[in-house]
Amino acid sequence: MQALMQDRPLTLPHIFHRAERQFHDKRIVTTTLRGEVESTYGEWASRVRRLATVLDELGVPEGARVATFGWNTQRHLELYFGVPCTGRVLHTLNIRLFAEQVAYIAEHAADDVVFVDRSLLPVLWPVADQLTTVRYFVVLDDGADSEIPDDPRIRDYEDLLAAAEPFRGRFEITDENAAAAMCYTSGTTGQPKGVVYSHRSTVLHSLVSLTVDAVGLSERDVMLPVVPMFHVNAWGLPYSAVFAGTSIVFPGPAMQPEALVSMLERHRVTTTAGVPTIWMGMLPLLGEHDLSSLRVVVGGGAAIPTALSEGWREAIGIPITQAWGMTETSPLASVASPRSHHDGLDAEALIEVRSTQGQAAPLVELRIVDMDTGQEQPWDGATPGELQAAGPWIASSYYGDEGRDAFTSDGWLRTGDVATMDEHGFVRLVDRTKDLVKSGGEWISSVELENHIMAHENVAEAAVIAKSDPKWTERPVACVVAEPGSGLTSEQVLDHLRERVAKWWLPDEVWFVDELPKTSTGKFSKKTLRERLLD
Amino acid sequence: MQALMQDRPLTLPHIFHRAERQFHDKRIVTTTLRGEVESTYGEWASRVRRLATVLDELGVPEGARVATFGWNTQRHLELYFGVPCTGRVLHTLNIRLFAEQVAYIAEHAADDVVFVDRSLLPVLWPVADQLTTVRYFVVLDDGADSEIPDDPRIRDYEDLLAAAEPFRGRFEITDENAAAAMCYTSGTTGQPKGVVYSHRSTVLHSLVSLTVDAVGLSERDVMLPVVPMFHVNAWGLPYSAVFAGTSIVFPGPAMQPEALVSMLERHRVTTTAGVPTIWMGMLPLLGEHDLSSLRVVVGGGAAIPTALSEGWREAIGIPITQAWGMTETSPLASVASPRSHHDGLDAEALIEVRSTQGQAAPLVELRIVDMDTGQEQPWDGATPGELQAAGPWIASSYYGDEGRDAFTSDGWLRTGDVATMDEHGFVRLVDRTKDLVKSGGEWISSVELENHIMAHENVAEAAVIAKSDPKWTERPVACVVAEPGSGLTSEQVLDHLRERVAKWWLPDEVWFVDELPKTSTGKFSKKTLRERLLD
Ligand SMILES: Nc1ncnc2c1ncn2[C@@H]1O[C@H](COP(=O)(O)OP(=O)(O)OP(=O)(O)O)[C@@H](O)[C@H]1O
Ligand SMILES: Nc1ncnc2c1ncn2[C@@H]1O[C@H](COP(=O)(O)OP(=O)(O)OP(=O)(O)O)[C@@H](O)[C@H]1O
Ligand SMILES: [Mg+2]
Ligand SMILES: [Mg+2]
């Protein structure tokens, strides 16, 4: 029997028109090279309407990819809606990649137009001719003095907007499964692969971030997305914010810890999100600022070292809330806020809970699977398995049908992460399949070793990688960045571990390095470490 | 361009399996005639699995309507999931209707089986033979001593469950637009009409109740649904609670104010919801109880008199949060929690905000339309129009294609309510199209008059209806229930109004009555009033 409900697709125009009418006077602040610029949802919406006309005038076909190469700004948010609400596909390029990688990705996606911040033009322009499908480079002038090439493909964003009549009707997308946006994985473990989000997946994902047990974004929040808008759509938070009517503070290029802390304080920010390296950089500054407005600090993209989260908690009263996700999962898949069954736990135990990757968000399903037999593993908090995910905002395949082995025959995503799950479904990531250390037939968790090492007061950063071993197949090696001037020794590191892990987990060697190589999204790049150290 | 996201339908089995695994130890309490019974989601889930087998063994076909005739209990929640998760359609019958009306509705829906609380059997059994499509009456023994007829159609719920093997697999519904549940409108203005909800609409609606700016239900809440499970699925709250893992306290037949207040206090309830008559009954008791655990008291189904909401606020510190909806809207359509732009308003102005029906929930769209021209009206807080609604959980038609004129040619629901909307989309209901008083070509809001009259200290209840008038077409008449012993006079009522409304709004007459007739869902029945008084 069919139901008798209205057939209303879940599409971004709903979020746009809702915000335009209900939240027109809410604030949007952007830090630019010329200082902070204040605006409102109302002004933003009327610019989105002009942008719609601009895209028509540039002759961008339906379904074509419109790329962005920019900081977190209001203009970027205009593209976030103007592009998909008119049936095109937003493609956010990662500004931290090598230009050649950017060119590879833009070619792969066959981008039709690129919108680029003027301050980033010098990064992109050298490879412009390799972007063979791109017809226009539209420059968003952020006050940088970078030279603007005299080239027929160059256009100025503000000129185009100023000349365009605003689209006056209602944006309509009839197929909720149409592509809205695409993003490439960050390339920590391999070549970046393209993930294509739908209107439906984006709306559902945005909605779940408004639920209390996920991020709980509301109209009363002030949100500062530190996570870049090219990094899985800033974890979807800009879409969620517009859905809820949340005020937004965009940091623009001001990504230095001092600048960020000052914005959090001055704008009474309640909600912020970013990768651990960002929170690490800000930690020493917290004491000097009034951050009492903060309600939740979301950390993800890589494991949050316990010491870091506790450092925040000691400094400002709230820990970092860990979330886990991937480009392939839109990305919000699980959040580690303690549940009522954790009430009454002591401080130590609560730290343990917060160090997990949390419980699956609504509409997401997670399971762990034995890597050899493919058997589903019990949720006993001990047995590890490859983490697999299903749900309406989880990828079913990659663009161009690459990487087919990332999907199981029953349609689940193989995440490449290795985890245990407890009886309530709390996930603990113990490794990535490509980083696992297999010693004498048993797995050693590099993540757990790293966590313990990083808890040592004289350790700044640490990563554990596998070294091949004739007897044990593989043995762990710790790569450690010592706090300057601490005189930390290998023996001290190993002594510290001896009290905390089984003897056969102890790294065979401790290598001191000046810094750990990072990927374009700020994660430790073990791939690079292995290449450098094991050759 | 199509997106590359997994094609996962939005269905109730997701909510069920999530709760079964993640929240198995959360509490469900039910008040029965034999006292309070404690259980857990885990036990509940295993009973749902048995129920699945029972439905098969009773030979209930896919898509068949399975009716319930019961109080708010855990068993009712078993049916809420067991029926739709196995592809049947849950049909909640209103236990407060006359038996003949119940028979009409059950026949109309062609119910296949009815699950009935033993204490309610005496209400239903007299019309059993009129339920010609019903093959079985399954009795849920709640400890009442009502006689169980010796009839081949009678079965005992617990016997059936005990004899059934639990279904061991995963419930699968492949079509998210399949019917999950149906409910008839309450018949305040006309014949009850059937609304058919889908899995998709129910999942989306449940999710939105978890968002902060709607009800914000979370795992940490304890929810007591006072609103009956036959009244638009208790406003969807049981589905939301299971989605979030919220503990639930079911009042069963203990619907007396004293019993309810005691449950709220003893179980540290955080969230509750019901119609104004319920909150009215509890108001005098509030002072004697510790209700500090309450986070939100939702009122809806009829306007919340300001005096009532303020009475609660004075007694326990939080006002009643008004929500507006209909059987046709699943029902959550708007919620009146103050937004950040209301900050800084004085107490009077805040009371005004709370007396509106609030702002559209995510995914819901509202508009007001001139009743004569069909023109969309401005959101100026003054111009009234018929309120119309669109969204994925709003009805597109009624069962049996009745009442077609309730839907516009562009597919919106005509709500039959008359409202203004302000510049932020806050809705203020001023009347129902069928209750409007049209005097000298101008509308008079019966709702506004009632609100003022009920704010008088010597008024217990009031309703305003239209009386036909040779000169003005219609003129308002106030029907008032005075506080016992207050000696309230017509002149006092009119004097009170004179200071508050335009002169031509003053009712021509004030009629004192002993009580106002109520409908089966506890609303003032102006239909009955008109019949009684105007004949
Ligand atoms: N909270 C977290 N704790 C630990 N690891 C995390 C967390 N959040 C994300 N990750 C890691 O990040 C991965 C997802 O990152 P992303 O999609 O940006 O690309 P990548 O996996 O780093 O790169 P690629 O797949 O291209 O090699 C997850 O699979 C997981 O390994
Ligand atoms: N917060 C509220 N304030 C004022 N009225 C409300 C509120 N919530 C609901 N209502 C009224 O209740 C109506 C919906 O009620 P319901 O669907 O239960 O059936 P009914 O409209 O009373 O009966 P029928 O349509 O069968 O005559 C709305 O159309 C509105 O008139
Ligand atoms: Mg990856
Ligand atoms: Mg109605």
Side-chain angles (χ1 to χ4, degrees):
Chain A
M1 177 174 164
Q2 286 291 295
L4 302 172
M5 292 285 112
Q6 293 179 13
D7 180 19
R8 300 275 163 183
L10 305 173
T11 62
L12 289 173
H14 170 74
I15 300 185
F16 174 80
H17 290 292
R18 171 181 164 85
E20 182 179 45
R21 286 206 85 168
Q22 295 191 177
F23 306 123
H24 49 83
D25 47 14
K26 295 303 300 282
R27 259 164 40 115
I28 302 178
V29 175
T30 304
T31 302
T32 72
L33 292 168
R34 298 200 191 94
E36 276 180 10
V37 177
E38 277 228 23
S39 178
T40 62
Y41 272 42
E43 288 173 45
W44 163 81
S46 81
R47 288 169 58 90
V48 170
R49 289 179 171 280
R50 286 178 194 277
L51 173 57
T53 306
V54 167
L55 293 170
D56 286 348
E57 287 173 353
L58 294 178
V60 183
E62 200 185 319
R65 266 72 61 210
V66 174
T68 61
F69 196 76
W71 301 104
N72 288 9
T73 65
Q74 176 185 324
R75 287 178 178 139
H76 213 155
L77 190 70
E78 287 157 17
L79 290 153
Y80 260 48
F81 282 83
V83 172
C85 284
T86 59
R88 285 93 176 185
V89 182
L90 179 81
H91 176 202
T92 49
L93 291 165
N94 183 337
I95 63 174
R96 301 229 182 88
L97 291 176
F98 291 113
E100 277 62 35
Q101 272 179 291
V102 176
Y104 165 80
I105 291 174
E107 273 294 282
H108 193 270
D111 294 334
D112 186 43
V113 186
V114 183
F115 287 76
V116 47
D117 278 343
R118 181 165 180 182
S119 60
L120 295 168
L121 197 54
V123 182
L124 191 65
W125 194 251
V127 294
D129 290 337
Q130 296 174 38
L131 276 55
T132 62
T133 58
V134 174
R135 297 183 298 120
Y136 298 105
F137 292 85
V138 181
V139 178
L140 291 72
D141 193 340
D142 56 5
D145 52 12
S146 9
E147 206 194 318
I148 296 182
D150 182 14
D151 187 287
R153 291 167 294 179
I154 295 266
R155 291 285 182 285
D156 178 76
Y157 186 66
E158 293 300 328
D159 287 350
L160 291 174
L161 283 199
E165 275 295 310
F167 168 76
R168 301 219 180 267
R170 240 190 106 78
F171 295 120
E172 293 290 351
I173 300 288
T174 48
D175 178 5
E176 65 183 23
N177 294 312
M182 78 185 295
C183 185
Y184 280 71
T185 64
S186 59
T188 310
T189 59
Q191 267 299 356
K193 294 175 287 295
V195 176
V196 187
Y197 310 110
S198 64
H199 281 266
R200 171 179 162 112
S201 71
T202 310
V203 169
L204 290 172
H205 181 270
S206 309
L207 193 56
V208 163
S209 290
L210 312 189
T211 65
V212 179
D213 292 331
V215 185
L217 214 57
S218 85
E219 190 271 335
R220 293 186 162 273
D221 278 311
V222 179
M223 199 265 294
L224 188 156
V226 181
V227 49
M229 291 172 84
F230 57 75
H231 189 188
V232 212
N233 297 327
W235 302 346
L237 291 169
Y239 288 120
S240 295
V242 177
F243 211 168
T246 307
S247 297
I248 313 180
V249 179
F250 285 118
M255 292 291 282
Q256 311 74 22
E258 296 74 17
L260 292 171
V261 157
S262 156
M263 280 180 259
L264 292 178
E265 179 175 29
R266 281 180 298 111
H267 295 292
R268 306 293 301 154
V269 169
T270 63
T271 320
T272 184
V275 295
T277 24
I278 292 286
W279 307 137
M280 193 83 81
M282 282 162 71
L283 185 53
L285 308 173
L286 299 179
E288 301 146 36
H289 294 269
D290 171 10
L291 300 184
S292 57
S293 58
L294 276 178
R295 181 179 66 73
V296 59
V297 177
V298 181
I304 312 293
T306 301
L308 173 62
S309 181
E310 283 305 294
W312 272 71
R313 199 178 58 75
E314 278 155 30
I316 68 159
I318 56 169
I320 296 174
T321 299
Q322 182 153 204
W324 170 80
M326 309 169 66
T327 310
E328 294 88 336
T329 66
S330 290
L332 189 78
S334 66
V335 185
S337 21
R339 296 286 176 250
S340 60
H341 70 268
H342 297 122
D343 288 353
L345 291 184
D346 61 22
E348 282 290 296
L350 271 179
I351 290 174
E352 275 300 295
V353 173
R354 289 196 293 259
S355 74
T356 70
Q357 276 68 26
Q359 219 177 10
L363 300 182
V364 173
E365 289 178 51
L366 299 176
R367 69 183 181 196
I368 44 176
V369 167
D370 184 279
M371 280 164 285
D372 301 321
T373 64
Q375 214 40 65
E376 212 182 316
Q377 303 284 56
W379 290 15
D380 59 8
T383 316
E386 184 183 33
L387 188 61
Q388 302 187 343
W393 60 73
I394 314 283
S396 61
S397 63
Y398 292 113
Y399 192 58
D401 212 12
E402 290 168 359
R404 277 194 221 173
D405 57 357
F407 305 93
T408 67
S409 57
D410 60 345
W412 289 56
L413 170 73
R414 301 179 55 182
T415 66
D417 288 326
V418 184
T420 62
M421 290 178 83
D422 76 7
E423 58 149 339
H424 296 98
F426 273 74
V427 172
R428 182 182 293 282
L429 252 60
V430 294
D431 234 313
R432 306 183 85 165
T433 48
K434 301 197 175 165
D435 294 338
L436 272 175
V437 186
K438 196 163 189 180
S439 173
E442 299 280 351
W443 302 117
I444 293 175
S445 162
S446 64
V447 169
E448 193 175 334
L449 285 175
E450 288 158 8
N451 240 320
H452 287 305
I453 301 174
M454 281 194 276
H456 190 290
E457 54 175 357
N458 292 334
V459 171
E461 288 175 349
V464 170
I465 56 176
K467 192 181 152 224
S468 63
D469 183 282
K471 182 163 170 205
W472 303 106
T473 317
E474 288 179 347
R475 290 294 302 154
V477 168
C479 308
V480 173
V481 181
E483 285 290 349
S486 67
L488 184 72
T489 65
S490 301
E491 247 343 282
Q492 287 172 338
V493 172
L494 294 174
D495 282 348
H496 172 81
L497 282 178
R498 244 175 226 113
E499 299 161 18
R500 291 168 172 85
V501 300
K503 204 167 153 221
W504 62 278
W505 276 40
L506 282 189
D508 277 16
E509 292 172 55
V510 179
W511 291 339
F512 287 97
V513 291
D514 288 342
E515 68 175 330
L516 290 179
K518 309 245 168 33
T519 70
S520 61
T521 49
K523 310 184 188 195
F524 296 157
S525 176
K526 295 196 185 179
K527 201 168 62 171
T528 317
L529 251 193
R530 271 191 291 266
E531 284 160 15
R532 281 204 207 151
L533 295 178
L534 300 180
D535 286 351
Chain B
M1 178 174 165
Q2 285 291 295
L4 302 172
M5 292 285 112
Q6 294 179 13
D7 180 19
R8 301 275 163 183
L10 304 173
T11 63
L12 289 172
H14 169 74
I15 300 184
F16 174 80
H17 289 293
R18 171 181 163 86
E20 183 179 44
R21 287 206 85 170
Q22 295 191 176
F23 306 123
H24 49 83
D25 47 14
K26 295 303 302 282
R27 260 164 38 117
I28 302 178
V29 175
T30 304
T31 302
T32 73
L33 291 168
R34 298 200 190 94
E36 276 178 11
V37 177
E38 277 229 22
S39 178
T40 62
Y41 272 41
E43 288 173 45
W44 163 81
S46 80
R47 288 169 57 90
V48 170
R49 288 179 172 280
R50 288 177 192 276
L51 173 56
T53 307
V54 167
L55 293 170
D56 287 347
E57 287 174 352
L58 293 178
V60 183
E62 200 186 318
R65 267 70 64 209
V66 174
T68 62
F69 196 76
W71 301 105
N72 288 8
T73 64
Q74 177 185 324
R75 287 178 178 139
H76 213 156
L77 190 70
E78 288 157 16
L79 290 152
Y80 260 49
F81 282 83
V83 172
C85 285
T86 59
R88 286 94 177 184
V89 182
L90 179 81
H91 176 202
T92 50
L93 291 165
N94 183 337
I95 64 175
R96 301 231 181 87
L97 291 176
F98 291 113
E100 276 62 34
Q101 273 179 292
V102 176
Y104 165 80
I105 291 173
E107 274 293 283
H108 193 271
D111 294 333
D112 185 44
V113 186
V114 183
F115 287 75
V116 49
D117 277 343
R118 182 165 179 181
S119 59
L120 296 168
L121 197 54
V123 182
L124 190 65
W125 194 250
V127 293
D129 290 337
Q130 297 173 38
L131 278 51
T132 61
T133 58
V134 173
R135 297 182 299 119
Y136 298 104
F137 292 85
V138 181
V139 178
L140 291 71
D141 192 340
D142 57 5
D145 52 11
S146 9
E147 204 193 322
I148 296 182
D150 183 14
D151 187 287
R153 292 168 294 179
I154 296 266
R155 292 285 183 283
D156 178 77
Y157 185 66
E158 293 301 327
D159 286 351
L160 291 173
L161 284 199
E165 276 294 309
F167 168 75
R168 299 217 181 268
R170 241 191 106 78
F171 295 120
E172 294 289 353
I173 300 289
T174 48
D175 178 4
E176 64 182 25
N177 294 312
M182 77 185 295
C183 185
Y184 280 72
T185 64
S186 59
T188 309
T189 60
Q191 267 301 354
K193 292 174 289 293
V195 176
V196 187
Y197 310 110
S198 64
H199 281 266
R200 171 180 163 112
S201 71
T202 311
V203 169
L204 290 172
H205 181 270
S206 309
L207 193 56
V208 163
S209 290
L210 311 190
T211 65
V212 178
D213 293 332
V215 184
L217 213 57
S218 86
E219 189 271 334
R220 294 188 161 274
D221 277 312
V222 179
M223 199 264 294
L224 188 156
V226 181
V227 49
M229 291 172 85
F230 57 75
H231 189 187
V232 212
N233 296 327
W235 301 348
L237 291 170
Y239 287 120
S240 295
V242 177
F243 211 169
T246 307
S247 297
I248 313 179
V249 179
F250 286 116
M255 293 290 283
Q256 311 73 23
E258 296 74 16
L260 291 171
V261 156
S262 157
M263 281 181 260
L264 292 178
E265 179 175 31
R266 282 179 298 110
H267 296 292
R268 307 293 300 154
V269 169
T270 63
T271 320
T272 183
V275 295
T277 24
I278 291 286
W279 307 136
M280 193 84 81
M282 282 162 70
L283 186 54
L285 307 173
L286 298 180
E288 300 147 37
H289 294 269
D290 171 11
L291 299 183
S292 57
S293 58
L294 275 177
R295 181 178 66 73
V296 59
V297 178
V298 182
I304 312 293
T306 301
L308 175 62
S309 181
E310 283 305 295
W312 272 70
R313 199 177 59 74
E314 279 155 29
I316 69 158
I318 55 170
I320 296 174
T321 299
Q322 182 152 204
W324 169 79
M326 310 169 64
T327 310
E328 294 88 335
T329 66
S330 291
L332 190 77
S334 67
V335 184
S337 20
R339 296 288 176 247
S340 59
H341 69 268
H342 297 122
D343 289 353
L345 291 183
D346 62 22
E348 282 290 296
L350 271 179
I351 289 174
E352 275 300 294
V353 173
R354 289 196 292 260
S355 75
T356 71
Q357 276 67 25
Q359 219 177 11
L363 300 182
V364 173
E365 289 178 52
L366 299 176
R367 68 182 182 196
I368 45 176
V369 167
D370 184 279
M371 280 164 286
D372 301 321
T373 66
Q375 221 28 73
E376 212 182 316
Q377 302 286 56
W379 289 15
D380 59 9
T383 316
E386 184 183 31
L387 188 60
Q388 301 186 343
W393 60 75
I394 314 284
S396 62
S397 63
Y398 292 112
Y399 193 59
D401 212 13
E402 289 169 358
R404 278 194 219 172
D405 57 356
F407 305 93
T408 67
S409 57
D410 60 345
W412 289 57
L413 170 73
R414 302 180 54 184
T415 66
D417 288 327
V418 184
T420 62
M421 290 178 82
D422 76 8
E423 58 150 337
H424 297 97
F426 273 74
V427 171
R428 182 182 294 282
L429 251 59
V430 294
D431 234 313
R432 306 183 86 166
T433 48
K434 302 198 175 163
D435 293 339
L436 271 176
V437 185
K438 194 163 189 181
S439 172
E442 300 279 350
W443 303 117
I444 294 176
S445 163
S446 65
V447 168
E448 192 174 335
L449 284 175
E450 287 158 9
N451 239 322
H452 287 305
I453 302 174
M454 280 193 276
H456 190 289
E457 54 176 355
N458 292 335
V459 171
E461 288 175 349
V464 170
I465 55 177
K467 192 181 152 223
S468 63
D469 183 282
K471 180 160 171 209
W472 303 105
T473 317
E474 289 179 346
R475 289 295 302 155
V477 169
C479 308
V480 174
V481 181
E483 285 291 348
S486 67
L488 184 72
T489 66
S490 302
E491 247 343 282
Q492 287 170 339
V493 172
L494 293 174
D495 283 346
H496 172 82
L497 282 178
R498 245 175 225 114
E499 299 161 18
R500 290 168 173 86
V501 302
K503 203 165 154 224
W504 61 277
W505 276 41
L506 282 189
D508 277 16
E509 292 173 55
V510 179
W511 290 340
F512 288 97
V513 291
D514 287 342
E515 67 175 330
L516 290 178
K518 308 244 168 34
T519 69
S520 62
T521 50
K523 310 183 189 197
F524 296 158
S525 176
K526 295 197 185 180
K527 201 169 63 173
T528 318
L529 251 192
R530 272 190 290 266
E531 285 160 15
R532 280 204 208 150
L533 293 178
L534 301 180
D535 286 351

